[in-house]
C-alpha cells in the first residue's frame, strides 16, 4: 500500500528547486517505494520567491518564515536548503517538531552544529539524510565495490580533487558564503565536505590530517539586493572575504593508506572538475564527475606498464537501473538528488537509515574543523 507523506522545502534557491524536482520524480524512478511525497509547504525569506515556487511546483502553502513550516501538522518531512548559518536552528526546530529532515551539507558552521542536529534527530526518533550527492553516483558505488573486493589490491593512496570557478570572477558578490558568521568555512564547507565524504565512503575512516588554506580574492563588492546562487555585484561597498578560497590536505587513513584532498572555488578554467584516483598494490580506479558514468580501471598482474580500461557503468551498479536500461546511457546531477530523495523516503518508510546520514555529516564536519586548526597551527591534527 502506498501512503502519502507531506513534505516541505525551506530555502528556495537553486538547491531548493533541485530538492523539489527530486520529490516530483521519485515515484517515476522508484515506483516500488511505499511513500508518495506531497508538496505541502515552501518557505523562503526573499519576498515573492516562495509564492512563485508554489505556483510553479504546486505547493499547497507558501511562507516567508520557516517557523510556520515547523508548526504545520501536515508537514511530516522537510528539506533544509537554507544558508549554512540557519542549518542548526532550523534542523533542531524541525526535529523537535517530529519532522524527518533532508538537510544540505555541511549541516551548520561547525562540527558542533552538525552534532547538535544529529543528536536532535536521534532524540526525536526521526530520520535524517544529508546532501552528499556524489556518493550516490553509480560509478562511485561501483568503485567502492571494486576497492572492497580487493581487485586493485591493498589501497596505498588516493587523490581527491574538487576544482570549480564559481567564485573566480572578481565581481562575484560578497554574499553570506564569504562571511565567517553566516557561511562558516568557505571552500571547506562548499566542496571539501564532499571530498571528505567520498574519502570515507571509499576508504574508511581518516585518522589524522594536515592542511593549508589560502584566500586568493580578498575583497568583493557587497550586493545591493537579494541574491541567488553566485551573483555578480559592481559598484557596491567592498568588504573582506573572511573564509578560504583554497585548501590542500594530506590524509592518513586508519587502514594505513595515504591521501591528498585539494579543493578550490576560484580555479579559472575549471568547471565542476570533481573526481578521485585510488591506487592499490595491484591496480587503480579513476572517476571524473564530468564523465559520471565512466570509470578508469587498471587491474591484472602486470604491475608495470599495466593498461587502464574505460568501464561504463550499467544496471548492476548502484541505482543506475532506476534511470537507464543499459550501460553508457548518461545520467546527470539532478539524478543524484533523486537518488538522495529515494534514500530519504525509504529511510522514513522502513525506519532504517539509507544513504548519507547525519553521522556522516558529523564526521565530515569534524575533518573540516581539523583542517582549519591544522592550517592555523601548521601541524598534523588527529581525528578521534
Amino acid at each position: 500500500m502506498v501512503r502519502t507523506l507531506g513534505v516541505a522545502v525551506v530555502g528556495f534557491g537553486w538547491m531548493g528547486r533541485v530538492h523539489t524536482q527530486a520529490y516530483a520524480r521519485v515515484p517515476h524512478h522508484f515506483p516500488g517505494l511505499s511513500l508518495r511525497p506531497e508538496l505541502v509547504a515552501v518557505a523562503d525569506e526573499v519576498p515573492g520567491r516562495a509564492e512563485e515556487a508554489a505556483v510553479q511546483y504546486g505547493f499547497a502553502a507558501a511562507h516567508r518564515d520557516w517557523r510556520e513550516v515547523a508548526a504545520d501538522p501536515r508537514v511530516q518531512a522537510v528539506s533544509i536548503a537554507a544558508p549554512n548559518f540557519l542549518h542548526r536552528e532550523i534542523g533542531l526546530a524541525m526535529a523537535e517538531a517530529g519532522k524527518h529532515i533532508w538537510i544540505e551539507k555541511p549541516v551548520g558552521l561547525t562540527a558542533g552544529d552538525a552534532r547538535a542536529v544529529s543528536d536532535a534527530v536521534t532524540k526525536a526518533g526521526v530520520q535524517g539524510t544529508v546532501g552528499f550527492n556524489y556518493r550516490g553516483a553509480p560509478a562511485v558505488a561501483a568503485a567502492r565495490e571494486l576497492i572492497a573486493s580487493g581487485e586493485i589490491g591493498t589501497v596505498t593512496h588516493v587523490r581527491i580533487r574538487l576544482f570549480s570557478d564559481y567564485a573566480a570572477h572578481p565581481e562575484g558578490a560578497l554574499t553570506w558564503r564569504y562571511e565567517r558568521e553566516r557561511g562558516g568555512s568557505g571552500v571547506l564547507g562548499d566542496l571539501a565536505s564532499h571530498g571528505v565524504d567520498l574519502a570515507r565512503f571509499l576508504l574508511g575512516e581518516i585518522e589524522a590530517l594536515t592542511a593549508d588554506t589560502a584566500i586568493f580574492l580578498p575583497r568583493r563588492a557587497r550586493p545591493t539586493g537579494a541574491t541567488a546562487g553566485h551573483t555578480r555585484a559592481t559598484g557596491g561597498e567592498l568588504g573582506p572575504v573572511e573564509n578560504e578560497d583554497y585548501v590542500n590536505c594530506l590524509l592518513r587513513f586508519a587502514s594505513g593508506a595515504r591521501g591528498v584532498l585539494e579543493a578550490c572555488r576560484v580555479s579559472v578554467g575549471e568547471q565542476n572538475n570533481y573526481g578521485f584516483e585510488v591506487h592499490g598494490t595491484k591496480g587503480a580506479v579513476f572517476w571524473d564527475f564530468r564523465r559520471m558514468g565512466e570509470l578508469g580501471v587498471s587491474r591484472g598482474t602486470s604491475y608495470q606498464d599495466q593498461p587502464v580500461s574505460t568501464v561504463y557503468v550499467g544496471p548492476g551498479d548502484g541505482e543506475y537501473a532506476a534511470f537507464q536500461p543499459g550501460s553508457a546511457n548518461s545520467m546527470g546531477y539532478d539524478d543524484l538528488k533523486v537518488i538522495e530523495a529515494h534514500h530519504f523516503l525509504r529511510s522514513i518508510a522502513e525506519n532504517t537509515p539509507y544513504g548519507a546520514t547525519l553521522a556522516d555529516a558529523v564526521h565530515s564536519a569534524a575533518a573540516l574543523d581539523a583542517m582549519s586548526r591544522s592550517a592555523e597551527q601548521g601541524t598534523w591534527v588527529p581525528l578521534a
Side-chain angles (χ1 to χ4, degrees), residues 72-125:
D72 191 337
R74 299 172 300 168
V75 175
Q76 298 161 282
V78 181
S79 280
I80 301 173
N84 297 353
F85 66 96
L86 295 172
H87 285 185
R88 177 171 180 156
E89 183 182 9
I90 298 174
L92 292 178
M94 296 303 173
E96 290 166 1
K99 304 183 191 305
H100 308 282
I101 64 172
W102 174 13
I103 185 168
E104 276 305 314
K105 54 83 202 166
V107 190
L109 305 181
T110 64
D113 288 347
R115 192 171 291 109
V117 178
S118 180
D119 290 346
V121 163
T122 300
K123 182 178 180 181

Side-chain angles (χ1 to χ4, degrees), residues 120-145:
V121 163
T122 300
K123 182 178 180 181
V126 295
Q127 294 296 320
T129 293
V130 179
F132 290 129
N133 43 267
Y134 299 108
R135 65 155 62 188
V140 175
R144 188 185 194 213
E145 289 188 9

Side-chain angles (χ1 to χ4, degrees), residues 128-132 135 197 343 354-358 360:
T129 293
V130 179
F132 290 129
R135 65 155 62 188
D197 186 66
H343 287 159
Y354 289 96
T357 67
L358 280 157
D360 294 311

Side-chain angles (χ1 to χ4, degrees), residues 266-283:
V266 297
S267 296
V268 175
E270 301 281 13
Q271 295 87 39
N272 298 331
N273 182 359
Y274 309 152
F276 55 75
E277 304 153 19
V278 181
H279 294 268
T281 54
K282 296 195 300 181

Side-chain angles (χ1 to χ4, degrees), residues 2 43 61 74 89 107 113 129 138 167 173 175 215 224 254 259 264 275 291 349-350:
V2 177
R74 299 172 300 168
E89 183 182 9
V107 190
D113 288 347
T129 293
T175 64
I215 298 173
T224 56
C264 186
R291 304 173 71 93
E350 300 180 19

Side-chain angles (χ1 to χ4, degrees), residues 210-279:
T210 184
D212 183 36
T213 63
I215 298 173
F216 296 133
L217 293 177
R219 296 177 68 79
R220 295 179 181 271
R222 300 186 188 279
T224 56
T227 61
H230 305 291
T231 307
R232 293 186 192 176
T234 56
E237 178 187 357
L238 292 178
V241 172
E242 298 173 349
N243 50 34
E244 71 290 332
D245 290 325
Y246 170 84
V247 62
N248 65 47
C249 181
L250 300 180
L251 306 170
R252 292 177 182 163
F253 292 87
S255 67
R258 298 297 193 262
V260 176
L261 191 163
E262 190 176 14
C264 186
R265 65 188 180 187
V266 297
S267 296
V268 175
E270 301 281 13
Q271 295 87 39
N272 298 331
N273 182 359
Y274 309 152
F276 55 75
E277 304 153 19
V278 181
H279 294 268

